[in-house]
Amino acid sequence: METVSENRCFGGTQGVYTHASDATGGDMTFGLFLPDEASDGPVPLLWYLSGLTCTHENAMVKAGAQAWAAEQGIAVVFPDTSPRGEGVANHDDYDLGQGAGFYIDATQPPWSPHFKMQTYILEDLTRLLFNAFPLDEERQSITGHSMGGHGALTLAAKMPDRFRSASAFSPICNPTQSDWGKKQFAAYLGTIDAGKAHDATELAKTGALDTIPLLIDTGTDDQFADLLCTEALAQTLIARRADATIRLQKGYDHSYFFVSTFIEDHIAFHAEALWR
Amino acid sequence: METVSENRCFGGTQGVYTHASDATGGDMTFGLFLPDEASDGPVPLLWYLSGLTCTHENAMVKAGAQAWAAEQGIAVVFPDTSPRGEGVANHDDYDLGQGAGFYIDATQPPWSPHFKMQTYILEDLTRLLFNAFPLDEERQSITGHSMGGHGALTLAAKMPDRFRSASAFSPICNPTQSDWGKKQFAAYLGTIDAGKAHDATELAKTGALDTIPLLIDTGTDDQFADLLCTEALAQTLIARRADATIRLQKGYDHSYFFVSTFIEDHIAFHAEALWR
């Protein structure tokens, strides 16, 4: 692992690091905010998964998470959204290829050699983080924005014992029914149908999201509302009586101005689960 | 004036607008955060002047100001740092020309036709803001970062009746003694000596910073400490018994991670003067 930068921030440290990943077969970059409390011993970890076109950097500089993570004594990791670099497949569309890993493991060429973001997050980066930093593996929660909201909800559904709580800002809720999903599942997995195993609404139908508290915020003026299919997930979670809070935030859109407005609430929500 | 974008943010609106400026002889872009209270009538205005290489956008997305401005019911304007576009002079160095206006009016070619940032801020943008938005002209304060900290302190010194308080993050404090200043004053004004009228330490010596409360934060690990000359301004302000608080923040550097950490304090400081 190499340190790219470390900046003091809200009494803690905002770092950026690169490391070799077996899963993606190349170097990956991530941001990690460690609160001051980490100098005294392991602290809880909140995963923040970013959206289409983002790198590790967008949320790290724009979401304003550090102020509230510092207040709650919680670390936040900001992974990249895909493999990158020479020899890594790409596509001209902004929503396929680099910057659009969708937090799944591709099985189809040309994506399959590097696009293994699920394994990267859940195994490679996980191992590195808990080996290299004072983080408490028993206290993890997950959040994300847009494609990263899809990632947060689906990875939480897949790992019911790992994450104590999950939340999302304007998540892609039903990607097998959306142009943010159908194209990517077809490309990465061969069929749209194969994407059902990576679709928050489909997973919720099986009860996989019944066991942890959930918080979902989406703006009423989200310019991508039709692609998010929030209503499908809401219907499913409410029918199952899941421990879910779904809030439509009046007048807000899909931007980081929306995320930064409500991230205090999300971090407080996770803190309650993480410090229990 | 044209609206580039408006995003709901912390209950208010983060807008970006362009307008024609007589002073700079071209179109200028700025960001303006209006808190919710602005829908009921004029609110106080905090000017945020940015540093070298920045546009209107950097602080708007990275400083985290909106959270605290919303809490205090204060608007924040984020002007650009120089004229831009076709026909506007530039230089290969990052610290001269576009992105490096230094908040002064150039008298020397090739800069003099467009580089009139002092007049742009104090006249053109001022007139536009108070005509077009619900802002209270009697309640203005000013802050900034690095070159923008220089701008905030010097414009406050030049307009003692206009700004109720001034603050700065890692300001360039004595530019006539610094490589962040000597080159620019020589280029824009013809001589370094002409820069004394635009040097916070020189202005402070005349008593021009004695009349309003001042707050200055600089990191002990600022990588540009030698260029900032904080000690010269501190010595002058303290010798004059100015109403100044100068804080060295242990371990912090020159980045927006530093600014975002302390902007809550700065906005609270200005709110006290603005709501008095």
Side-chain angles (χ1 to χ4, degrees):
Chain A
M1 188 182 76
E2 271 183 51
T3 300
V4 177
S5 61
E6 288 185 332
N7 299 87
R8 194 148 183 80
C9 182
F10 287 96
T13 302
Q14 178 60 60
V16 175
Y17 310 92
T18 59
H19 68 118
S21 159
D22 289 340
T24 67
D27 283 348
M28 299 293 291
T29 303
F30 65 94
L32 177 68
F33 173 72
L34 282 179
D36 187 33
E37 288 80 352
S39 51
D40 298 327
V43 295
L45 177 63
L46 176 63
W47 295 78
Y48 184 107
L49 305 184
S50 287
L52 289 165
T53 76
C54 289
T55 68
H56 68 283
E57 198 181 17
N58 302 62
M60 184 181 99
V61 300
K62 290 162 77 171
Q66 295 90 351
W68 315 111
E71 189 170 293
Q72 300 282 0
I74 289 170
V76 186
V77 62
F78 303 93
D80 203 346
T81 58
S82 79
R84 295 179 195 274
E86 252 183 277
V88 175
N90 206 0
H91 194 281
D92 283 344
D93 294 352
Y94 76 96
D95 59 0
L96 193 66
Q98 296 184 31
F102 263 77
Y103 305 101
I104 60 177
D105 288 353
T107 59
Q108 304 299 307
W111 313 106
S112 44
H114 300 284
F115 280 73
K116 305 285 188 190
M117 287 302 290
Q118 177 173 321
T119 301
Y120 168 66
I121 298 282
L122 294 180
E123 297 181 19
D124 289 13
L125 181 54
T126 296
R127 198 160 43 238
L128 179 85
L129 286 172
F130 291 104
N131 281 336
F133 298 98
L135 299 169
D136 181 354
E137 196 158 3
E138 300 302 311
R139 297 177 191 271
Q140 298 181 60
S141 290
I142 192 163
T143 187
H145 174 225
S146 195
M147 175 184 75
H150 145 78
L153 295 171
T154 55
L155 296 188
K158 293 170 188 178
M159 303 289 276
D161 298 331
R162 175 156 168 184
F163 298 107
R164 296 192 174 198
S165 50
S167 78
F169 301 87
S170 32
I172 304 172
C173 292
N174 196 8
T176 57
Q177 301 297 320
S178 164
D179 287 338
W180 275 353
K182 288 193 274 193
K183 174 167 73 173
Q184 294 81 359
F185 291 144
Y188 297 151
L189 305 175
T191 66
I192 296 169
D193 212 50
K196 286 188 175 170
H198 313 285
D199 177 311
T201 299
E202 293 296 332
L203 288 162
K205 287 178 187 167
T206 71
L209 284 171
D210 289 0
T211 57
I212 56 169
L214 305 174
L215 172 62
I216 295 168
D217 273 321
T218 295
T220 60
D221 287 14
D222 194 308
Q223 60 271 47
F224 303 111
D226 291 347
L227 295 163
L228 303 181
C229 308
T230 314
E231 56 277 24
L233 180 59
Q235 185 178 33
T236 304
L237 290 174
I238 292 167
R240 290 198 61 85
R241 306 287 181 267
D243 181 5
T245 300
I246 300 154
R247 309 190 301 188
L248 289 188
Q249 299 290 1
K250 190 171 165 56
Y252 287 86
D253 59 29
H254 201 73
S255 69
Y256 268 100
F257 295 114
F258 162 62
V259 174
S260 64
T261 299
F262 296 102
I263 199 151
E264 178 182 9
D265 290 357
H266 284 242
I267 290 177
F269 164 81
H270 292 297
E272 200 170 312
L274 287 166
W275 285 118
R276 195 186 300 134
Chain B
M1 186 181 78
E2 272 182 49
T3 300
V4 176
S5 61
E6 289 185 330
N7 299 88
R8 194 148 182 81
C9 181
F10 287 96
T13 302
Q14 178 61 61
V16 175
Y17 310 91
T18 58
H19 67 119
S21 160
D22 289 339
T24 68
D27 282 349
M28 299 292 292
T29 303
F30 66 94
L32 176 68
F33 173 72
L34 281 180
D36 187 32
E37 287 81 351
S39 50
D40 298 326
V43 296
L45 176 64
L46 177 62
W47 294 78
Y48 183 107
L49 304 185
S50 288
L52 289 165
T53 77
C54 290
T55 68
H56 69 282
E57 196 180 18
N58 301 61
M60 186 181 97
V61 300
K62 292 163 77 172
Q66 294 89 351
W68 315 112
E71 189 170 294
Q72 302 282 0
I74 289 170
V76 187
V77 61
F78 304 94
D80 202 347
T81 59
S82 79
R84 297 180 193 274
E86 252 183 277
V88 175
N90 205 359
H91 193 279
D92 284 344
D93 294 353
Y94 76 97
D95 59 1
L96 193 66
Q98 295 183 30
F102 264 75
Y103 305 102
I104 59 176
D105 288 351
T107 59
Q108 303 299 308
W111 313 107
S112 44
H114 299 284
F115 280 72
K116 304 285 188 191
M117 287 302 289
Q118 176 174 320
T119 300
Y120 168 67
I121 298 282
L122 294 181
E123 296 181 19
D124 288 11
L125 182 54
T126 295
R127 196 160 43 238
L128 179 84
L129 287 171
F130 291 103
N131 281 335
F133 298 98
L135 299 168
D136 180 353
E137 195 157 3
E138 299 303 311
R139 296 176 191 272
Q140 297 181 61
S141 289
I142 191 164
T143 186
H145 174 226
S146 194
M147 176 184 74
H150 144 78
L153 295 171
T154 55
L155 296 189
K158 292 169 187 177
M159 303 288 278
D161 298 330
R162 173 157 168 183
F163 299 107
R164 294 191 176 200
S165 50
S167 79
F169 300 88
S170 32
I172 305 173
C173 294
N174 196 6
T176 57
Q177 301 298 317
S178 164
D179 287 340
W180 276 352
K182 288 193 276 194
K183 175 167 71 175
Q184 293 80 0
F185 291 144
Y188 298 150
L189 305 176
T191 66
I192 296 169
D193 212 51
K196 285 188 176 171
H198 314 284
D199 177 310
T201 300
E202 294 297 332
L203 288 162
K205 286 177 187 167
T206 70
L209 285 171
D210 289 0
T211 57
I212 56 170
L214 305 174
L215 173 61
I216 295 168
D217 272 322
T218 296
T220 61
D221 287 15
D222 193 306
Q223 59 270 44
F224 304 111
D226 290 349
L227 295 163
L228 303 181
C229 309
T230 314
E231 55 277 22
L233 180 59
Q235 187 179 33
T236 304
L237 290 173
I238 293 167
R240 292 197 60 88
R241 305 290 181 265
D243 181 5
T245 299
I246 301 153
R247 310 189 302 188
L248 289 188
Q249 298 291 0
K250 191 170 162 58
Y252 288 86
D253 60 29
H254 202 73
S255 69
Y256 268 99
F257 295 114
F258 162 63
V259 174
S260 63
T261 299
F262 296 102
I263 198 150
E264 178 182 8
D265 290 358
H266 283 242
I267 290 178
F269 164 80
H270 291 296
E272 199 170 313
L274 288 167
W275 285 119
R276 193 187 303 134

